[in-house]
Each structure stands twice: as C-alpha cells, then as structure tokens.
Amino acid sequence: MSSRQLRKLQKQRELEQAQEKQIDNSDEVEESDDEPAPATRPKPNLFAALGGDDDDADAEADEDEDEDGGATIAPEVDEPKPATSAKKNKKKNKKNKKKAAAALAAAAEQHDGDDGASDEDEIDKAIKALKISNAAKGGSTGDEEKQRRAAASNSIFQINPYHLKAINEMRNLFGREVIESANAEEEQQQQANRRGRRRQIPQQVDLETFLRDNGPHAKKLPEVSLRRNIFIQGRDYWPAQSANGLTMKEIAKTANGVSTEYAYVHGGEYDSLEMLFFACVQIGDPMRMVHLLKRVPYHVSTLLQVSFVAKQDQNMALSSELCERALFTFGRVTTSAFRQNVEQGRARLDFRRPENRQFWLAGYHYLRSLLRKGTYRTALEWAKLLYALDPQDPYAMRHYLHFLAVRAYESKWLLEFLQDVEGSEDNTHDDFVYVKQSGILAQLQMGETEAAKKALTTGIQTVPWLYCALFQELGLDAPPSIWGIHAESDSRQFWVKLYLHFAKDLWNNSQATALLVEVAKGMSKVDVKELLLDDMQPDLGATRLAYLEGQTSLITLAPRALLDRQPNYEFDPLPPAEEDNIFSHEGTKLPWTEKRGRAGGPGSNDPAVQEALARMQNMLAAQGGGGAAAGAGAAARVQGFGVAGQAEESDYDDETDEELRRDLEEHARRSREPGFLGQLMQMLGVGGGGAAASAAQGQEAEGDDIQYEDYVEDEDEDVPGAWPGAGPPGETR
C-alpha cells in the first residue's frame, strides 16, 4: 500500500479508539436527549482504498501531503465533534485551502508578470525595429499584396500526381477490370511474338519489337521505381539501367519564399552522350539513333528524336511510349523537395537552360498523345504543370488550358484561372483576351446562363472579328452586329486562327450556338473605331506552339524572323537566342558551336569543347569503341548495338553508303575547318577512305611526326575536314 492509504487507515483506527473511550465514560456522565448525539462514523471498508471510491478524500489527502511536505501527522482527538460542526470545519478547510492556493497562484502570476513584462518589452522592441526596417525599405504593403497574389496563384496551380498518370483516368473511364484485361492480353501477345521469333530464323524486325526486346534474362526496374515516379508510371519491360548522370539540383528560392527554382544537371557521362547524340543527328541516319537508344535507353535527347522517327513511321503508340520514358527519366532524378513544391505549385524551372527545355518538349508531345486517347483530365494536369513551371509560358500552354478545362469539365478551375490572370500585374500576354472567351463556355457548363450572356455580350464588343470568324467556322450566317468585321493584320489573324484551332469544336453544340445566335442578333452594330487597330505580334512561345502543331494556316501567319531562327532542331525547337541561354555544359552548346563553325567563326577550337571531345573518346574506348584507332570494328560496335550490349553486324559499310558519304562531304565543304563534327564522326568510324584516308596513309608511310591540326590543314580542298574513319597520322587503322 501507499503511504497515503496507510495514513488513512491509521486515522480511522484512532477514531475507533476514541469512540470506545467515550463509551466507557458514559456511566459517569449523564447526557440529555436534546443534546446532539455524537457523530458515529460507519465502519470503514478496508477495500475502499483499493477500489478508488473515495476520490474526494484521496484528493484532500494529496493536498494535505503537499502542504505538510509529505510528513504523516496524526490528529489530536480529545472528544468527538458533532456532525454539523464537522461539516462546517470541512468546508472551512476547503475554503482556506482554496484561498491559500489562490494566494500562491497570484504571487506566481505576479512573478511571471514581471518576467513577462520584460519579455514583452523585448518583443515590442523587435516588432518596432522590424516595422522601422520595413518602412525604410518602402512599399511593404505592395510587397505583401504581391506575395498574397503569388500564393493564391500557386494554389490554383497545385498539381495532383494522381492526375498526371493516364492509367488512373482510364481506369475511371473504363473500369479497372477492363484495363487489366487489356494489359494481360497485350502481354500474352508480346510473349507469343517473342516465342515465335526464337523458333524462326533471325530476320529483320520492326522498330517497336527491336526496342522492346531486352533479352530473356534482362533485369527489370524495381516495382517501387515504376510506381512511385511523380510523372509517369513505368512499364515493367523497360530496361533496368541508370540515367547516365542526369540529376537535379536546387538553384535558388525567391526572397518572399513563394517559389523555388530547380534545374536538371548533366554529369560528365551524360554530357558526353549529348555530344555523341548530336553527331548522330548531323549524320542524319535514323537507324544510328535507334542503335544509340538501344545502348543508352534513358538518354532523353535520343528518346525524343527516336520518338519523332516513330511518328514519321506512323507508329503513334511507340512514339507516345518513348515520350513517357523520357518523362519517366526526368521523374527518376527529381528530389523530394521538388516533388513537394510541384504539388504545392511552387516549383520553377528556367526555360533558358537547355537541360530544362527537353522536359517541356517531352511534356508537350506526351500531352498530344493524351488527346488522342481522350484522357482530357490527365492532359489538363500536364498543361497546368508546364504552365506553372515557368510563368513566362514558353510553350503557350495558356491556349491549351482553356480548351482542356472545358473538355475535362473543370469549369470552376478555369474561371478561377481567368480571374487570377485578369487581376495580375505580371501578365504580359495580350492574347489572353481571346483565351477569356472560353470562360463563357465554362459558365454555360456550370448552368450560369445569365452570366454567360453578359460575358458573351462583352466579348463580342471587345473582339468582334473573332466571333465573325467563329460564325463562319460553325457554318452560321453572321448577324448584322458583327457582319463584315474581319481580322485584317497577320498578327490578329494569327490569334484568331489559334483560338479557333483549339476551341472551335467546343462551340459546336446546340446550347452554345443557340446562345451565340441569340446574343449576337440582339446587339447593335459594333463600332470598331473604338477598338484597338491591331494586336501584338506573336511572341516566341506562341510561334513555337504553332510550329509544333504543324498547322500550315498558323505557320504562314507567324513572324518569319522567329521561324527562320537558327539553330532549330527537333530535339530543341526554336530555342531562345544564344545570348539568352544559360549554358552549364559543353554538350548543350553544340548547336550554336556548329552554327558558328559553318559561318566561319570560332568553331571547335575552344579548349572546353576539345576537352569534352577527349572525354567522349575515352568513354567510347572504355565501352569497346576505341575511338578512331579501332577502325571499322569500332564503327560496327557503335552502329550496331545488339541486344544486351552485344555487337552485331552493321548495315553500313564504306562501299554501299555513298549517299551518306556525299552528305558528309557537302557538310565538310561548307565547314572549311576540322570542326567538332568531323572529330565526332571520326570517333564513330563513319565512312572511311577517300582523299583524307589516302593522305593519312601517305604521311604514315613517311613516318613523320605530324600533329593532327597540321594534318587537317594539308588535306585536299574537296574534303577540308577530317574525313570520318581516317585517324590522324601515326595511328594504325
């Protein structure tokens, strides 16, 4: 038992002894019947202490123990007290204890108050100092307003990774069982095809089969890596290889903490692969690109280029899959902080970095494949992501957002987005006046007919030429209010055609056309003299979008100065000007280096480029290529990457590849200098022989110790560059 319970039993025993003593003295003292009888306490229950029935007594005993310092004091009992007086004393004791506790609490509060006052003084001083510093900076109220608006914009562009994966929307549309059954049927078909190929004599296979066949005992990526990727759910037959040096790092956070900038980084090996890839692009042979992809299945530039090849081959499924693998590669190297910021709408990527631009390109092509599948909700989430990563909107995703939001029945989100853009001071795109017109469709979709009528009236008064063109596209007669009002300039026609390219089908329904005709017929003639004479010219982002869409009617209206810019490759369409780029790696500079080389500028003589070339040559040698010194054997290994990295026979040789030889000769004739391209193709072992080879053999026979630069200067005028396949003097072929 505890000391408190023992003390309680001791008090009860002493009371019983006092009562017995009183009974013994009762014969000597006569008591009147009017006097109150002594208080007789019932016989105590010895198990009460264990049962916890006397909570109040326990609480009082605890208080007594706290006040007395834990000492056990037996009360003096001379005579029993009446029951009434005992109750009164008990109440008085409680009151006294409460008063004492209150006094102690007041004293403690006073003491704490003194300390709190001093602390409060320090806090007040800090607040006053902060206010003074903000006042000194000036415009604190404006900064707070901007920060609030930025936070609100981030909330609009919060990304749900669930909606980034098309498989989730397809399950919602068709059911999980249907999707699983289709996947199982496809897997059985692939297994049957593989078994059939093993029984037959080896023969040529199609591109899709070649890229998917990893061998019977090839390793696969872990299930966790396939499913936990933020962008794409991987496929189980993708090869188990690394990203070859592609990583991500954090660049900086904004001063107000609203956003954080990240960047993809090319390691040494990845940068060397970029140089090898660019050499394959210059060669112009798609099969070399396919073999390179077989060797490095997660190199993003090669994935995107082969995806374009598959699209040209009318294999849209393979093209979409390669874009998925590129996005999967980007997702593999993301950091946890980046993933969290993406979900909160706070992640940013700088489009001026070539390493980041490939993410936009892969995302755009994947978005197009989602439209072909009809998964509009997933496509909308991707458009939101591409728009949020760079508020400058380098791919003009604003023209996809309004279209996809209506298609995906996300009308409420579209209205919030349009309202946010309208009240933003950072909006530099005047073409939002066209994007806003889809808000009418969103209001109709939400059942707000009166609000839609009001917005449509304002829209017709603002851009009547757009609605006149819309009536013509829908096959309707334009009412008198807008009849004869057309877009005159190329820039205005560009914006009208761009909007109709996306939104024409959205207006082609009975509800929208009925409202359109009703409102337009009820209006008076629009006075165009009060409107702007012309729209702004399309920026580089909108021009890039028109170029990628491939619409001839749009491309002919785009500014020629932007369309004719060089360099312009499929893996980096219409990039910013060279001075606007942020170069971090030598491999990303190659398109501009080649451009300067053709123009007679400082080509590949840059020491940094030479160092990167040497690094790539060492990489090829380590992989078995051996550079130019390996001769035709190296060429076969680079050209024909077999299954599981085994070399196979190449379809290209020096005697039959005359067309490739002529193309390279023409390129070398334009270059008029050795250039990095000649050195890269020499490493690849492309071609061979020719005047350069003869010169190399002649000087090798003489045994002169001549530097490679001197050898190039003494070459024949028809082939000024080092012909691929012919090494510098002194090397053995």
Side-chain angles (χ1 to χ4, degrees):
M1 290 186 182
S2 64
S3 59
R4 179 167 54 84
Q5 294 172 337
L6 292 174
R7 196 165 58 249
K8 182 177 179 181
L9 294 176
Q10 184 178 3
K11 289 180 181 179
Q12 293 174 352
R13 191 175 295 106
E14 290 174 351
L15 287 174
E16 291 176 355
Q17 292 177 358
Q19 290 177 358
E20 292 177 357
K21 184 177 180 181
Q22 185 178 359
I23 293 173
D24 294 336
N25 296 333
S26 61
D27 295 336
E28 300 176 359
V29 181
E30 293 181 358
E31 296 180 353
S32 172
D33 295 339
D34 298 334
E35 294 178 357
T40 57
R41 299 186 64 174
K43 188 175 182 181
N45 185 4
L46 299 181
F47 296 97
L50 301 177
D53 296 329
D54 197 0
D55 295 336
D56 294 337
D58 293 345
E60 292 179 6
D62 291 339
E63 292 176 359
D64 293 338
E65 182 177 359
D66 295 338
E67 293 175 0
D68 297 337
T72 303
I73 301 176
E76 296 180 359
V77 183
D78 294 338
E79 56 183 11
K81 298 181 180 179
T84 56
S85 61
K87 292 180 180 180
K88 290 179 181 180
N89 292 336
K90 187 175 182 180
K91 290 180 181 180
K92 289 180 181 180
N93 291 336
K94 287 184 178 180
K95 290 181 180 180
N96 293 335
K97 292 176 182 178
K98 289 180 180 180
K99 289 180 180 180
L104 292 173
E109 289 176 0
Q110 183 177 1
H111 179 71
D112 295 340
D114 296 339
D115 297 339
S118 61
D119 295 340
E120 188 175 0
D121 293 341
E122 296 295 333
I123 295 173
D124 291 338
K125 291 178 182 178
I127 293 175
K128 290 178 181 179
L130 183 60
K131 289 181 179 179
I132 292 173
S133 62
N134 289 337
K137 293 180 180 179
S140 60
T141 304
D143 294 341
E144 291 178 358
E145 179 65 18
K146 289 182 179 179
Q147 185 174 357
R148 185 189 65 80
R149 292 195 60 83
S153 180
N154 289 345
S155 64
I156 294 175
F157 285 97
Q158 291 179 350
I159 303 300
N160 187 351
Y162 177 85
H163 293 303
L164 289 176
K165 300 174 182 178
I167 187 65
N168 296 326
E169 184 175 3
M170 295 179 69
R171 287 170 180 166
N172 295 334
L173 291 174
F174 305 107
R176 182 181 296 271
E177 296 180 356
V178 174
I179 299 301
E180 291 179 353
S181 175
N183 292 337
E185 183 178 352
E186 182 181 3
E187 179 64 23
Q188 291 177 0
Q189 183 66 30
Q190 292 178 0
Q191 292 178 358
N193 293 339
R194 286 194 292 266
R195 287 194 297 267
R197 287 195 303 270
R198 289 168 188 162
R199 297 192 193 100
Q200 297 174 0
I201 300 175
Q203 57 183 356
Q204 292 184 350
V205 295
D206 59 278
L207 179 60
E208 184 175 0
T209 303
F210 175 73
L211 291 177
R212 286 186 177 182
D213 191 1
N214 300 316
H217 304 294
K219 293 183 179 179
K220 297 182 179 181
L221 289 172
E223 188 71 18
V224 175
S225 300
L226 296 176
R227 295 188 176 275
R228 291 190 178 180
N229 193 288
I230 184 175
F231 297 136
I232 295 293
Q233 180 172 325
R235 308 198 181 193
D236 55 0
Y237 54 81
W238 286 352
Q241 291 194 27
S242 67
N244 300 107
L246 180 67
T247 56
M248 171 178 275
K249 70 175 181 179
E250 179 180 319
I251 300 299
K253 294 182 179 179
T254 55
N256 54 12
V258 173
S259 62
T260 305
E261 180 186 345
Y262 297 87
Y264 285 100
V265 180
H266 292 176
E269 181 182 357
Y270 199 94
D271 196 35
S272 300
L273 289 174
E274 283 289 303
M275 304 187 75
L276 178 60
F277 162 78
F278 189 70
C280 292
V281 171
Q282 295 298 311
I283 292 171
D285 184 3
M287 287 311 299
R288 293 180 186 273
M289 204 75 62
V290 172
H291 288 298
L292 176 62
L293 180 61
K294 191 69 176 179
R295 186 70 171 268
V296 283
Y298 294 103
H299 183 244
V300 175
S301 299
T302 309
L303 283 167
L304 295 177
Q305 195 71 20
V306 177
S307 173
F308 177 75
V309 173
K311 186 182 298 184
Q312 294 295 101
D313 197 34
Q314 302 299 320
N315 193 339
M316 307 306 290
L318 178 60
S319 177
S320 174
E321 180 185 335
L322 295 176
C323 287
E324 290 182 20
R325 196 192 296 184
L327 293 171
F328 178 81
T329 305
F330 281 121
R332 292 177 69 184
V333 301
T334 55
T335 63
S336 59
F338 174 80
R339 293 191 290 270
Q340 293 175 1
N341 285 328
V342 163
E343 295 182 17
Q344 298 170 1
R346 299 171 57 184
R348 300 289 184 269
L349 293 176
D350 197 333
F351 189 77
R352 296 175 298 173
R353 297 179 181 272
E355 302 88 345
N356 295 339
R357 287 203 290 270
Q358 292 183 333
F359 180 80
W360 268 275
L361 183 61
Y364 168 80
H365 286 301
Y366 181 58
L367 189 152
R368 294 289 302 173
S369 69
L370 293 173
L371 294 181
R372 291 192 293 268
K373 296 177 182 178
T375 51
Y376 297 111
R377 183 63 185 87
T378 307
L380 173 62
E381 204 73 10
W382 273 101
K384 288 166 59 178
L385 175 63
L386 297 178
Y387 182 89
L389 287 175
D390 192 338
Q392 298 300 320
D393 197 13
Y395 265 61
M397 281 293 111
R398 56 191 180 275
H399 291 281
Y400 266 102
L401 287 174
H402 70 92
F403 153 70
L404 290 172
V406 177
R407 284 289 191 187
Y409 293 91
E410 291 290 330
S411 302
K412 182 179 179 181
W413 178 89
L414 177 59
L415 295 177
E416 292 177 355
F417 165 63
L418 296 176
Q419 183 179 2
D420 177 74
V421 172
E422 187 175 3
S424 175
E425 299 178 356
D426 300 331
N427 177 28
T428 59
H429 304 291
D430 294 340
D431 57 309
F432 259 108
V433 66
Y434 296 95
V435 176
K436 281 178 57 179
Q437 305 313 310
S438 293
I440 301 168
L441 299 171
Q443 291 171 334
L444 277 179
Q445 206 172 67
M446 297 177 65
E448 301 176 0
T449 307
E450 293 301 323
K453 288 182 179 180
K454 184 178 179 181
L456 181 57
T457 303
T458 304
I460 292 177
Q461 294 173 347
T462 306
V463 283
W465 47 85
L466 171 65
Y467 286 95
C468 183
L470 179 59
F471 269 89
Q472 294 177 359
E473 290 289 336
L474 296 177
L476 303 174
D477 294 332
S481 59
I482 58 176
W483 186 86
I485 302 178
H486 302 287
E488 300 295 340
S489 64
D490 288 347
S491 58
R492 181 163 287 179
Q493 290 183 36
F494 177 87
W495 296 120
V496 169
K497 289 184 179 294
L498 183 61
Y499 177 81
L500 295 178
H501 169 67
F502 289 105
K504 177 186 67 175
D505 293 336
L506 299 179
W507 289 90
N508 194 12
N509 60 80
S510 58
Q511 184 182 16
T513 53
L515 181 67
L516 194 62
V517 172
E518 176 187 353
V519 174
K521 285 185 176 181
M523 295 177 59
S524 58
K525 185 70 174 181
V526 178
D527 188 5
V528 295
K529 295 181 181 179
E530 299 180 358
L531 302 176
L532 295 175
L533 296 177
D534 199 1
D535 294 339
M536 70 167 189
Q537 280 199 347
D539 58 354
L540 182 58
T543 305
R544 185 182 294 111
L545 176 63
Y547 174 78
L548 291 172
E549 289 290 316
Q551 294 293 320
T552 307
S553 59
L554 286 173
I555 295 177
T556 55
L557 296 171
R560 301 306 305 178
L562 297 179
L563 285 174
D564 295 339
R565 294 174 67 169
Q566 294 295 329
N568 183 20
Y569 293 97
E570 290 293 338
F571 60 87
D572 192 7
L574 296 178
E578 182 177 5
E579 59 273 11
D580 296 333
N581 282 268
I582 301 177
F583 295 112
S584 302
H585 309 90
E586 295 301 326
T588 58
K589 296 182 182 179
L590 292 182
W592 286 268
T593 307
E594 170 67 4
K595 174 186 173 183
R596 290 195 302 270
R598 291 198 305 265
S604 63
N605 294 328
D606 187 356
V609 177
Q610 294 293 336
E611 181 183 355
L613 287 168
R615 186 171 65 247
M616 193 185 71
Q617 186 172 9
N618 294 333
M619 182 190 71
L620 291 175
Q623 293 179 351
R637 281 189 289 272
V638 176
Q639 293 169 7
F641 298 127
V643 177
Q646 298 175 356
E648 61 184 33
E649 290 188 1
S650 173
D651 296 332
Y652 307 96
D653 53 54
D654 299 339
E655 297 178 357
T656 60
D657 204 357
E658 294 298 331
E659 183 178 357
L660 176 60
R661 183 188 302 278
R662 288 194 298 269
D663 292 341
L664 294 177
E665 287 178 349
E666 179 62 25
H667 175 85
R669 186 176 295 108
R670 291 195 307 267
S671 176
R672 296 299 176 186
E673 66 172 6
F676 66 91
L677 179 60
Q679 299 179 46
L680 284 174
M681 290 188 293
Q682 182 182 6
M683 295 178 194
L684 293 174
V686 179
S694 300
Q697 293 175 358
Q699 294 190 11
E700 182 180 357
E702 295 177 2
D704 296 334
D705 187 10
I706 301 176
Q707 298 296 325
Y708 179 53
E709 289 76 11
D710 299 334
Y711 155 73
V712 171
E713 293 177 358
D714 295 335
E715 285 184 5
D716 184 71
E717 289 295 329
D718 293 336
V719 190
W723 182 255
E731 287 191 359
T732 303
R733 290 198 48 156

